[in-house]
Amino acid sequence: MRKKIVAANWKMNLTLEQGEQLVNDLLGAGLQLPEGREVVIAPPFPYLLKVKQLISNKPGFFLAAQNCYSEKSGAYTGEVSAEMLRSVGADFVILGHSERREYFSESNAQLAKKIDLALANGLKPIFCCGEPLEVRKAETQNAYVAKQLAESLYHLDAAALKQVVIAYEPIWAIGTGLTASAQQAQDMHAFIRAELAAKYGDAVAQDITILYGGSAKPGNAKELFACPDVDGGLIGGASLVAADFAAIVQSF
Ligand code: PGA
């Protein structure tokens, strides 16, 4: 059975003090996390160690970074490596978020290198894919996402691919208040799973957790998570409010 995951992507928000408060509020929210359910928190880099301390020994809680660099180590001022992230206790790393692709020009090829470094260092990548509005309007979103998957993931063997979590985040839905409808999310998730099945076989594809991201909130999470191929969410704005994020976690 594939895991159900709800991940909090804080992006570039909150002070350390606010972040600590948010984690403590979540830990105090009495979340029910049966076997196979995971909560992943992705704070900014400077707070990773602190959040790790707060969630250590809390079953079902895991730590993610929001990015890592595409080289192993060396003279890359300001960058952070996968090995560093693992050394401070990160379990996951978000890679290929559309904001990274857009503002930092990350390409599918560079992301393939990041995926390899993450996996080599024992980090599970949360690989983001998703189309911009003009692609959705032209109804070519399936081909667009298929290319992202092929160019960043298909060099992996099946065992490596099984470490990857995929997050489908239509760019037009991120931070805009426009959520994909449950049907739009399900259609794309089923398409992604079918693509993975064609490449890796159905058993592997059935094992891959595919998250939805883009203006997910307490009011729409139940409907999204009820879709057979939606295995949870990558939550931005609503992850900054403990009660909202807790409600989303409890929406399965
Ligand atoms: P949002 O962000 O929930 O604020 O739309 C989701 C994401 O970018 O991961």
Side-chain angles (χ1 to χ4, degrees):
M1 264 295 276
R2 55 184 182 258
K3 293 209 164 95
K4 305 270 192 200
I5 296 175
V6 182
N9 177 11
W10 292 0
K11 309 191 180 185
M12 196 175 75
N13 291 297
L14 308 176
T15 62
L16 176 60
E17 197 181 1
Q18 291 167 334
E20 275 188 74
Q21 184 66 50
L22 177 53
V23 173
N24 283 327
D25 289 348
L26 274 178
L27 293 172
L31 295 175
Q32 300 299 314
L33 297 174
E35 181 68 25
R37 287 288 165 79
E38 296 184 354
V39 170
V40 176
I41 300 178
F45 289 137
Y47 314 157
L48 284 168
L49 263 180
K50 184 70 211 177
V51 173
K52 184 71 184 181
Q53 278 169 10
L54 294 173
I55 65 173
S56 66
N57 303 317
K58 307 290 181 201
F61 282 82
F62 295 87
L63 183 68
Q66 297 175 16
N67 180 35
C68 70
Y69 195 49
S70 50
E71 298 294 334
K72 209 163 173 267
S73 64
Y76 301 103
T77 302
E79 291 298 331
V80 173
S81 73
E83 185 181 28
M84 292 171 186
L85 296 176
R86 190 61 195 156
S87 76
V88 297
D91 306 291
F92 293 83
V93 58
I94 299 172
L95 292 176
H97 192 282
S98 60
E99 289 148 17
R100 302 283 328 164
R101 293 174 186 265
E102 182 180 352
Y103 306 134
F104 303 95
S105 306
E106 293 190 3
S107 65
N108 291 339
Q110 187 183 14
L111 289 167
K113 291 172 75 180
K114 293 189 180 200
I115 293 273
D116 288 345
L117 284 165
L119 291 169
N121 286 283
L123 294 169
K124 293 182 186 152
I126 299 176
F127 176 75
C128 302
C129 57
E131 79 286 354
L133 186 58
E134 61 273 17
V135 168
R136 172 61 65 165
K137 281 188 173 152
E139 297 180 8
T140 53
Q141 66 272 10
N142 286 7
Y144 188 94
V145 169
K147 187 170 190 288
Q148 291 178 318
L149 299 174
E151 293 183 359
S152 297
L153 297 181
Y154 287 0
H155 64 288
L156 300 175
D157 64 19
L161 185 86
K162 281 167 90 168
Q163 300 302 308
V164 177
V165 171
I166 292 175
Y168 169 60
E169 301 205 306
I171 298 171
W172 45 273
I174 296 177
T176 58
L178 279 178
T179 320
S181 68
Q183 191 61 52
Q184 286 172 320
Q186 168 57 26
D187 287 350
M188 178 57 83
H189 285 226
F191 171 74
I192 291 171
R193 206 178 302 286
E195 287 287 294
L196 296 176
K199 171 81 184 160
Y200 292 95
D202 198 46
V204 173
Q206 289 302 330
D207 259 8
I208 306 286
T209 297
I210 307 178
L211 309 180
Y212 169 79
S215 299
K217 27 186 189 288
N220 57 27
K222 268 202 173 68
E223 198 190 355
L224 287 163
F225 293 179
C227 299
D229 287 290
V230 177
D231 306 313
L234 178 55
I235 317 299
S239 76
L240 301 173
V241 179
D244 287 353
F245 186 68
I248 294 171
V249 171
Q250 300 294 248
S251 292
F252 284 106

